[in-house]
């Protein structure tokens, strides 16, 4: 029997991939040991230089304390071998996410199927329904490291959701690289139908989407989100830029006006987004367009990414905005985002919400606003807003 630890860097899809590896090793009879394990699994990210640096650093640290380290995920599949030169006990697995658990399990060997099921380590479960992307945004390396878009059979997804609910998870987050591309043609499922049927699973208290591209926010999806009681009033819709010229250069296939038009029916949702700052050609005016659009869209949390050229992409050789300018613009946008979050949180003072407690003293409301609560982890509790801090809402 081997002891192992598993960690991930990056997005919710990376988390779901790491959990698939974890569950496979547990099912094969290996034991999870967060500290001093024989084997470490590091599921990596590669969307920026910083993500690669952190991934490489995590693998290097693990190599000093574990006999074997498996490096998996997007960073492992990045062209150019970003993990070259690490110690010999570091093994880079360059396979699709679906193939990675079996590859590691084969290397370690199966002992026995001791348990067929294992509870995840969080109160919300991330269920991956789709992987890969068939579009070609000029800056994005994900299609290169994850391949073309592909979807899981709907019945497999729904069976996993039922299993997660049976394990005690109160919330399920449907995850994917490009969720709106979800299709199970043989069973007649689109993302819209999947949302409705997932939300109808008995015992599921809360359902969310990890992220959705604006081009996939249509009337049918909006109706499903509104008419499915379990769906949270939160949606993460990447923007990347609020300037039409920059969006064209990015290959994003929408304009700022189109973005605003498509999110308008969700004006009461808590909308969050991703923005790339300092894309090649972004001048001060273009950046101000982004600031204005974020405000007009009533977006709260903005995940800010200073532009980082990625190998193999159309803009790999372009990086015209100075690092100091990227840093300054990033700080301005993050400050605006924090102000928007505070405004939304203050609007909840005196009103009630249902909070899922996901760690001691903390939890998230229906719209994914953060709350400070005194309740057991894993519970859904009704609270009333008392005051607001820099980090969230205080429950009365």
């Amino acid at each position: 029997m081997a002891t192992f630890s598993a960690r991930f860097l990056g997005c919710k899809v990376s988390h779901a991939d790491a959990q698939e590896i974890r569950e496979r090793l547990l099912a094969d009879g290996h034991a999870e040991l967060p500290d001093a394990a024989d084997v470490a699994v590091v599921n990596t990210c590669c969307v920026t230089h910083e993500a690669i640096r952190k991934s490489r650093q995590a693998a290097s640290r693990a190599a000093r304390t574990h006999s074997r380290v498996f490096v998996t995920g997007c960073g492992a599949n990045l062209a150019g071998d970003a993990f070259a030169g690490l110690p010999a006990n570091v093994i880079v697995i360059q396979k699709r996410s679906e193939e990675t658990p079996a590859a590691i399990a084969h290397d370690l060997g199966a002992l026995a199927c001791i348990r067929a099921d294992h509870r995840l380590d969080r109160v919300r479960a991330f269920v991956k329904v789709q992987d890969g992307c068939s579009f070609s945004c000029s800056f994005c390396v994900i299609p290169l490291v994850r391949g073309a878009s592909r979807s899981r059979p709907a019945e497999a997804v729904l069976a996993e959701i039922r299993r997660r609910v049976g394990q005690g998870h109160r919330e399920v987050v449907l995850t994917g690289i490009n969720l709106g591309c979800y299709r199970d043609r043989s069973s007649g499922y689109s993302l819209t139908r999947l949302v409705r049927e997932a939300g109808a699973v008995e015992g599921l208290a809360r359902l969310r989407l990890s992220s959705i591209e604006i081009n996939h926010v249509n009337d049918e999806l909006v109706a499903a989100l509104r008419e499915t009681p379990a769906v949270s009033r939160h949606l993460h819709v990447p923007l990347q830029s609020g300037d039409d010229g920059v969006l064209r250069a990015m290959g994003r296939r929408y304009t700022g006006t189109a973005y605003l038009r498509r999110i308008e029916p969700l004006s009461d949702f808590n909308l969050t987004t991703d923005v790339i700052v300092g894309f090649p050609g972004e001048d001060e005016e273009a950046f101000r367009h982004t600031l204005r659009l974020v405000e007009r869209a009533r977006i709260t949390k903005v995940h800010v990414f200073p532009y980082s050229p990625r190998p193999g992409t159309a803009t790999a050789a372009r990086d015209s905005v100075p690092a100091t300018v990227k840093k300054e613009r990033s700080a301005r946008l993050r400050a605006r985002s924090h102000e928007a979050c505070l405004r939304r949180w203050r609007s909840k003072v005196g009103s009630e919400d249902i909070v899922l407690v996901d760690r001691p003293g903390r939890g998230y409301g229906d719209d994914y606003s953060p709350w400070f609560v005194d309740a057991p982890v894993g519970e859904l509790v009704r609270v009333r807003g008392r005051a607001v801090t820099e980090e969230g809402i205080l429950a009365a």
Side-chain angles (χ1 to χ4, degrees):
M1 178 183 72
T3 58
F4 73 92
S5 65
R7 64 165 300 187
F8 75 99
L9 294 90
C11 65
K12 295 178 177 66
V13 177
S14 179
H15 175 263
D17 290 342
Q19 289 291 2
E20 288 180 16
I21 296 169
R22 173 180 178 263
E23 290 194 308
R24 172 60 187 266
L25 296 183
L26 288 170
D28 279 358
H30 303 293
E32 188 171 21
L33 186 64
D35 299 314
D38 303 321
V39 173
V41 177
V42 180
N43 205 62
T44 61
C45 178
C46 70
V47 294
T48 63
H49 288 312
E50 181 67 8
I52 281 290
R53 185 190 69 79
K54 289 182 178 180
S55 295
R56 182 182 172 90
Q57 188 179 62
S60 180
R61 282 198 303 265
R64 294 193 291 269
T65 56
H66 298 74
S67 61
R68 274 182 290 179
V69 178
F70 292 98
V71 175
T72 62
C74 292
N77 287 298
L78 183 66
D81 196 357
F83 298 89
L86 290 181
N89 62 334
V90 175
I91 303 163
V92 179
I93 306 294
Q94 293 182 302
K95 291 184 178 294
R96 284 189 170 191
S97 60
E98 302 96 317
E99 302 167 345
T100 299
I104 296 175
H106 180 267
D107 194 297
L108 295 183
L111 300 179
C113 289
I114 296 176
R115 286 185 295 168
D117 204 8
H118 304 274
R119 181 182 172 88
L120 299 186
D121 60 350
R122 300 191 181 190
V123 298
R124 64 177 49 84
F126 297 92
V127 176
K128 188 169 73 170
V129 308
Q130 182 273 343
D131 204 341
C133 183
S134 297
F135 296 105
S136 299
C137 295
S138 63
F139 59 88
C140 187
V141 75
I142 296 303
L144 302 178
V145 297
R146 284 196 173 262
S149 178
R150 53 204 184 273
S151 302
R152 290 178 67 192
E155 185 48 48
V157 172
L158 295 171
E160 181 176 351
I161 292 172
R162 289 190 289 268
R163 181 161 62 92
R164 299 307 183 201
V165 171
Q167 291 171 332
H169 297 283
R170 312 302 298 277
E171 177 178 315
V172 164
V173 183
L174 302 181
T175 68
I177 295 298
N178 197 334
L179 270 181
C181 291
Y182 179 83
R183 296 289 186 278
D184 180 355
R185 290 183 172 83
S186 63
S187 299
Y189 274 80
S190 63
L191 180 63
T192 297
R193 183 180 174 189
L194 187 67
V195 166
R196 290 184 182 276
E197 300 213 13
V201 170
E202 185 176 357
L204 178 64
R206 186 174 287 176
L207 179 71
R208 285 195 300 118
L209 304 183
S210 63
S211 179
I212 186 78
E213 292 291 336
I214 192 63
N215 292 326
H216 296 134
V217 179
N218 53 33
D219 292 343
E220 291 77 15
L221 180 62
V222 170
L225 296 175
R226 288 201 170 279
E227 295 167 8
T228 305
V231 170
S232 295
R233 294 303 187 259
H234 164 252
L235 203 62
H236 187 83
V237 190
L239 172 64
Q240 307 306 2
S241 175
D243 181 80
D244 288 350
V246 173
L247 288 171
R248 283 193 299 272
M250 289 178 167
R252 290 296 289 169
R253 302 177 298 114
Y254 55 85
T255 63
T257 300
Y259 186 96
L260 291 169
R261 183 179 67 251
R262 283 180 175 261
I263 63 167
E264 181 58 33
L266 298 168
S267 59
D268 57 325
F269 275 51
N270 181 23
L271 300 174
T272 58
T273 197
D274 299 329
V275 168
I276 295 173
V277 170
F279 188 82
E282 181 193 71
D283 57 16
E284 178 62 21
E285 182 180 8
F287 177 67
R288 287 177 180 170
H289 289 163
T290 296
L291 292 177
R292 285 196 291 269
L293 197 147
V294 166
E295 184 172 354
R296 290 181 62 192
R298 297 176 296 276
I299 288 167
T300 56
K301 179 67 175 178
V302 180
H303 298 276
V304 181
F305 298 90
Y307 171 73
S308 180
R310 302 286 74 209
T313 65
T315 58
R318 298 167 57 198
D319 193 10
S320 60
V321 179
T324 54
V325 175
K326 292 179 189 177
K327 183 176 180 180
E328 186 269 340
R329 290 177 184 168
S330 296
R332 286 160 61 190
L333 183 53
R334 290 189 180 107
R336 290 283 189 94
S337 169
H338 187 56
E339 291 170 4
C341 286
L342 288 174
R343 283 196 298 271
R344 187 171 187 91
W345 301 346
R346 289 176 187 134
S347 72
K348 294 179 177 295
V349 174
S351 63
E352 291 189 340
D353 201 351
I354 303 296
V355 173
L356 175 61
V357 184
D358 65 350
R359 51 188 153 154
R362 299 289 297 270
Y364 288 92
D366 180 67
D367 69 348
Y368 211 52
S369 290
W371 286 76
F372 292 89
V373 297
D374 183 15
V377 173
E379 291 297 311
L380 279 161
V381 295
R382 183 175 293 277
V383 298
R384 180 179 294 275
R386 173 170 60 86
V388 168
T389 74
E390 290 292 302
E391 296 182 349
I393 309 158
L394 298 175

